[in-house]
């Protein structure tokens, strides 16, 4: 007791402290177990029964044994479209907020805009997409509508991760660039962005993983059906994605093996999201360790 | 290096531009500098434009509702039977609020406990293990949470409670609690880590145990950050759709017990919007509900901002 006399009070405090420490560790262990159990449940139900032809076959409406080919393709296609639109704008917005934005009321307003936009529920973006594409342009539920709506959902998150990544770049590096007479945009492109790139790529992967599994937006904008062809690059065909297919199969489908299809789809979804998160970050992580 | 630099400094600003070996190239650099600046500004303005678009499209359609229906009928009536032109959303609003409250009741103690463990108690190797594992939770799609809730949690609840269905607020709140856990945990973690070291040292110097330091010094000092984390978790819970829609039962009535099949704002929108005519009171009512979601999220974000400003002032 560090030379202090132990009283009843301090003894109780010591005891409570020990109990609390054990309690915190138990809580941590339980939560970790819950997470691993969750991942194990999802993956173990679907992956062992997974055959390669499930990934490329057409879905069936009536007979058992349908696959997820077109919906898996649509998932990646819509993800690609949404990133194609949102990454340039999201990066630009993040760079502006980190490098250019002066400390004034206008910037404050911009910041409120970004934060508000990132708090907009995904279902509202779906309704926006529905209003723009299905009502205003009257093209119905399409891959293009899904991709654009998803891009809008990604924007604020991309802007935020870019801003954080760019802000984390040390000021001396920029000053070294300015001292060589470089212009501001030149410094950003050739000095700041390469340094911030690993954090930005990590951020883009997070956004991509979220977008890949997003369903509320896609249900409203790309619909619950596919065109029925495997490699359909037409932007105006209906574009059911894997996440939406999971919803459709478990709620509306009448095939007898709906449960297995749903299990397998969930496993593929989680697997791809984890894959996106790990594989793209792995080289960066290796690079960081070598330094 | 010495002489030319000295020369530049004395010759003044106008000649610096002329010093460049190739004036054409220099001009091109200045031009591209401007161009990039405009591009970055354009990007951020595009974000604001999207926000405007959201408010305009949803709000415009939502306001059409009050041409057909009095606000009192929408906000205070519990009767939602669109087939008979009754569009009372009170049940959805109350359900959304009670679902959010129940979610936080479950999630906040666990997430703050995890944050304390991560920031104060665990050794370093354990922190570098716990944080990425919590991030895994963020990656799981919400529809998969809903599916697991439907296929694993609901049968479990049925067995435990003896209810015949198990759908309802409790199931939805349990699923949502797991979904908001990493959000609240991560931000509370940051808030606790940023409590100055001297606070801890002072408390330990007075002979406090670690529990006393945590409860009486660190948590109060980090309270604003933790409240921000909780509110951010709230915005996720309020706006979450697909996970909720699969386990809540989708019946437009007030959830009087934990196992009453019910419906919240988001789940009702997603179940019905695809089936309604665009120019119908029904559709306007659904848009009004979406607009309500927007307003709730904006108010919550505003509260976080005010808290953040106060924290900066206090620091």
């Amino acid at each position: 007791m560090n030379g202090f006399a132990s009283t009843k009070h301090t003894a109780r405090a010591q005891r409570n402290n020990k109990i609390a420490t054990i309690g915190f560790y138990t809580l941590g262990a339980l939560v970790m177990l819950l997470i691993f159990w969750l991942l194990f449940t999802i993956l173990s139900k679907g992956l062992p029964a997974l055959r390669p032809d499930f990934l490329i076959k057409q879905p069936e409406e009536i007979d058992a044994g349908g696959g997820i080919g077109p919906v898996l393709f649509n998932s990646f296609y819509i993800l690609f479209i949404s990133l194609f639109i949102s990454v340039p704008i999201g990066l630009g917005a993040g760079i502006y907020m980190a490098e250019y934005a002066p400390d004034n009321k206008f910037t404050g307003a911009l910041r409120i805009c970004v934060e508000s936009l990132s708090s907009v529920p995904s279902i509202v973006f779906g309704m926006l997409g529905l209003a723009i594409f299905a009502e205003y342009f009257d093209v119905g539920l399409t891959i293009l509508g899904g991709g654009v709506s998803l891009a809008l959902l990604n924007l604020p998150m991309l802007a935020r991760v870019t801003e954080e990544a760019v802000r984390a770049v040390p000021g001396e590096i920029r000053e070294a660039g300015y001292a060589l007479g470089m212009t501001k945009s030149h410094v950003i492109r050739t000095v700041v962005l390469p340094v911030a790139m690993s954090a930005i790529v990590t951020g883009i992967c997070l956004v991509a993983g979220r977008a890949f599994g997003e369903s509320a937006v896609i249900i409203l904008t790309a619909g619950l059906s596919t065109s029925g062809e495997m490699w359909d690059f037409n932007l105006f065909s209906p574009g059911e994605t894997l996440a939406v297919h999971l919803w459709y199969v478990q709620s509306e489908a009448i095939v007898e093996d709906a449960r297995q299809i749903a299990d397998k789809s969930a496993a593929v979804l989680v697997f791809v999201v984890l894959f996106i998160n790990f594989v793209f970050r792995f080289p960066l992580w290796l690079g960081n360790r070598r330094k | 290096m010495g002489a030319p630099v000295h020369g530049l400094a004395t010759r003044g600003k106008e000649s610096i531009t002329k010093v460049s070996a190739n004036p054409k190239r220099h001009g091109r650099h200045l031009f591209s500098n401007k161009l990039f600046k405009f591009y970055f500004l354009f990007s951020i303005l595009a974000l604001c434009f999207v926000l405007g678009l959201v408010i305009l499209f949803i709000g415009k359609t939502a306001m059409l509702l009050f041409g057909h229906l009095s606000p009192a009928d929408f906000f205070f009536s519990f009767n939602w039977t669109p087939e008979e032109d009754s569009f009372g959303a009170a049940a959805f609003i109350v359900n959304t609020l009670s679902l959010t409250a129940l979610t936080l009741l479950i999630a906040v103690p666990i997430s703050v406990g995890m944050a304390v463990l991560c920031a104060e108690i665990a050794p370093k190797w354990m922190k570098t293990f716990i944080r990425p594992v919590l991030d895994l939770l963020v990656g799981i799609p919400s529809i998969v949470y809903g599916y697991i809730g439907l296929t694993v949690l609901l049968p479990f609840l049925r067995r435990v409670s003896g209810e015949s269905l198990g759908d309802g607020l409790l199931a939805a709140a349990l699923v949502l609690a797991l979904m908001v856990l990493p959000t609240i945990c991560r931000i509370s973690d940051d808030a606790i880590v940023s409590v100055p070291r001297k606070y801890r040292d002072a408390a330990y110097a007075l002979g406090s145990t670690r529990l006393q330091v945590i409860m009486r010094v660190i948590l109060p000092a980090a309270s604003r950050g933790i409240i921000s984390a909780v509110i951010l978790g709230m915005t996720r819970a309020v706006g979450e759709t697909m996970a909720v829609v699969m386990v809540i039962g989708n019946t437009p009535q007030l959830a009087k017990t934990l196992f009453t099949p019910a419906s919240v704002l988001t789940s009702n929108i997603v179940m019905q919007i695809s089936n309604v005519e665009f120019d119908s009171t029904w559709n306007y009512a659904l848009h009004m509900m979406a607009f309500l979601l927007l307003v709730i999220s904006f108010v919550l974000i505003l509260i976080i901002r005010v808290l953040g400003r106060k924290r900066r002032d206090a620091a």
Side-chain angles (χ1 to χ4, degrees):
Chain A
M1 275 295 297
N2 312 331
F4 291 103
S6 169
T7 64
K8 229 181 202 168
H9 185 77
T10 54
R12 205 176 60 215
Q14 294 279 358
R15 201 184 60 228
N16 287 347
N17 183 38
K18 280 213 182 80
I19 295 173
T21 306
I22 295 170
F24 277 118
Y25 275 116
T26 320
L27 176 74
L30 286 179
V31 172
M32 289 295 112
L33 275 180
L34 181 68
I35 295 172
F36 284 117
W37 170 82
L38 189 72
L39 286 176
F40 177 76
T41 313
I42 299 168
L43 294 177
S44 71
K45 270 182 168 180
L47 285 189
L50 200 63
R51 301 281 170 274
D53 62 334
F54 177 73
L55 297 178
I56 46 171
K57 261 196 341 212
Q58 288 287 335
E60 298 284 347
E61 281 299 326
I62 298 156
D63 301 324
I68 52 168
V71 287
L72 191 60
F73 168 74
N74 279 341
S75 282
F76 283 108
Y77 194 33
I78 289 184
L79 176 64
F80 175 76
I81 295 173
S82 77
L83 288 180
F84 185 76
I85 300 169
S86 59
V87 166
I89 300 179
L91 289 196
I95 292 170
Y96 181 84
M97 291 310 277
E99 291 281 332
Y100 288 92
D103 192 11
N104 58 18
K105 284 239 166 72
F106 177 65
T107 306
L110 290 180
R111 204 167 285 282
I112 291 180
C113 271
V114 176
E115 283 173 14
S116 309
L117 196 63
S118 65
S119 79
V120 171
S122 59
I123 178 98
V124 175
F125 281 108
M127 292 173 83
L128 177 69
L130 190 68
I132 292 177
F133 286 94
E135 279 307 314
Y136 194 76
F137 290 120
D138 203 15
V139 291
L141 304 177
T142 58
I143 288 179
L144 182 67
V148 172
S149 310
L150 200 55
L152 302 185
L153 178 72
N154 292 344
L155 273 179
M157 203 170 156
L158 279 170
R160 209 184 56 223
V161 293
T162 311
E163 185 186 343
E164 276 170 18
V166 171
R167 267 185 203 285
V169 175
E172 302 98 69
I173 299 186
R174 290 189 191 92
E175 281 151 23
Y178 292 139
L180 292 172
M182 292 160 84
T183 59
K184 183 156 186 155
S185 73
H186 205 182
V187 169
I188 292 173
R189 271 179 301 146
T190 56
V191 179
V192 175
L193 277 187
V195 176
M197 197 40 89
S198 86
I200 293 177
V201 170
T202 308
I204 292 178
C205 286
L206 281 177
V207 173
R210 205 177 76 144
F212 187 83
E214 180 56 52
S215 40
V217 171
I218 309 292
I219 280 188
L220 296 191
T221 53
L224 279 170
S225 61
T226 62
S227 62
E229 286 168 48
M230 182 56 210
W231 302 100
D232 189 359
F233 286 95
N234 185 354
L235 286 174
F236 293 100
S237 9
E240 182 191 25
T241 65
L242 186 56
V244 176
H245 190 62
L246 175 57
W247 157 256
Y248 172 77
V249 161
Q250 78 80 32
S251 65
E252 289 177 30
I254 47 169
V255 293
E256 51 188 295
D257 62 344
R259 180 69 190 266
Q260 282 87 338
I261 293 179
D263 278 341
K264 285 188 242 179
S265 306
V268 172
L269 256 181
V270 172
F271 183 79
V272 172
V273 171
L274 294 183
F275 190 78
I276 293 175
N277 275 325
F278 282 117
V279 168
F280 289 93
R281 288 159 78 175
F282 194 65
L284 295 169
W285 181 72
L286 273 187
N288 284 341
R289 272 176 72 107
R290 220 174 285 129
K291 266 176 222 162
Chain B
M1 247 328 249
V5 169
H6 180 73
L8 275 182
T10 48
R11 264 186 287 161
K13 211 177 173 191
E14 296 95 56
S15 48
I16 289 183
T17 44
K18 282 184 200 152
V19 160
S20 173
N22 182 343
K24 221 172 172 181
R25 190 165 151 226
H26 185 72
R28 211 167 60 223
H29 271 298
L30 286 184
F31 179 70
S32 88
N33 188 28
K34 275 228 175 71
L35 206 65
F36 267 95
K37 183 176 178 179
F38 278 126
Y39 171 68
F40 295 139
L41 187 62
F42 159 79
S43 305
I44 188 76
L45 291 179
L47 245 75
C48 298
F49 175 71
V50 170
L51 183 70
L53 220 58
V54 170
I55 297 174
L56 184 79
F57 267 84
I58 305 295
K60 200 182 70 187
T61 317
M63 288 311 156
L64 290 175
L65 174 71
F66 295 136
H68 300 258
L69 202 70
S70 77
D73 281 343
F74 180 76
F75 288 109
F76 300 114
S77 157
F78 285 91
N79 182 12
W80 176 269
T81 22
E83 297 80 8
E84 295 163 19
D85 280 334
S86 308
F87 299 98
F92 304 122
I93 298 170
V94 174
N95 285 347
T96 298
L97 296 180
S98 46
L99 175 62
T100 310
L102 191 61
T103 304
L104 293 181
L105 206 64
I106 302 168
V108 169
I110 300 178
S111 349
V112 175
M114 286 298 287
V116 169
L117 178 70
C118 264
E120 287 294 313
I121 298 176
K124 196 160 177 252
W125 65 267
M126 203 187 274
K127 289 178 197 175
T128 52
F129 174 73
I130 293 181
R131 288 184 181 141
V133 172
L134 279 175
D135 283 347
L136 286 181
L137 276 186
V138 186
I140 300 178
S142 62
I143 187 98
V144 175
Y145 277 107
Y147 182 66
I148 290 298
L150 186 77
T151 54
V152 180
L153 182 65
L154 286 187
F156 174 74
L157 285 178
R158 261 175 241 151
R159 234 187 12 254
V160 171
S161 68
E163 297 278 333
S164 57
L165 281 171
D167 301 42
L169 280 193
L170 183 65
L174 285 172
V175 172
L176 277 183
L178 195 59
M179 296 181 71
V180 299
L181 189 140
T183 311
I184 303 181
C185 187
R186 168 51 68 90
I187 301 168
S188 311
D189 190 350
D190 289 347
I192 293 174
V193 167
S194 66
V195 172
R197 215 192 129 67
K198 57 187 178 190
Y199 288 20
R200 291 182 186 92
D201 292 345
Y204 281 124
L206 291 172
S208 312
T209 62
R210 185 161 62 191
L211 179 65
Q212 287 167 335
V213 174
I214 291 170
M215 298 306 284
R216 302 197 190 157
V217 177
I218 293 176
L219 288 187
S223 62
R224 280 189 208 285
I226 294 176
I227 293 173
S228 300
V230 171
I231 296 175
L232 217 62
M234 263 167 99
T235 59
R236 269 200 83 176
V238 169
E240 181 48 54
T241 311
M242 297 316 288
V244 172
V245 85
M246 288 173 102
V247 292
I248 201 161
N250 300 316
T251 317
Q253 59 180 348
L254 191 66
K256 292 204 179 79
T257 71
L258 291 179
F259 291 105
T260 314
S263 209
V264 292
L265 290 171
T266 50
S267 70
N268 192 58
I269 293 173
V270 81
M271 290 303 287
Q272 304 192 335
I273 187 124
S274 316
N275 310 326
V276 298
E277 286 291 314
F278 192 78
D279 292 313
S280 63
T281 320
W282 193 347
N283 188 44
Y284 302 154
L286 291 177
H287 275 77
M288 196 65 211
M289 289 161 72
F291 193 67
L292 216 57
L293 283 174
L294 272 182
V295 172
I296 295 174
S297 325
F298 290 166
V299 168
L300 291 176
I301 286 294
L302 223 64
I303 296 175
I304 294 181
R305 278 193 72 84
V306 172
L307 282 174
R309 201 174 301 136
K310 276 198 184 140
R311 191 165 33 161
R312 267 198 301 282
D313 291 346

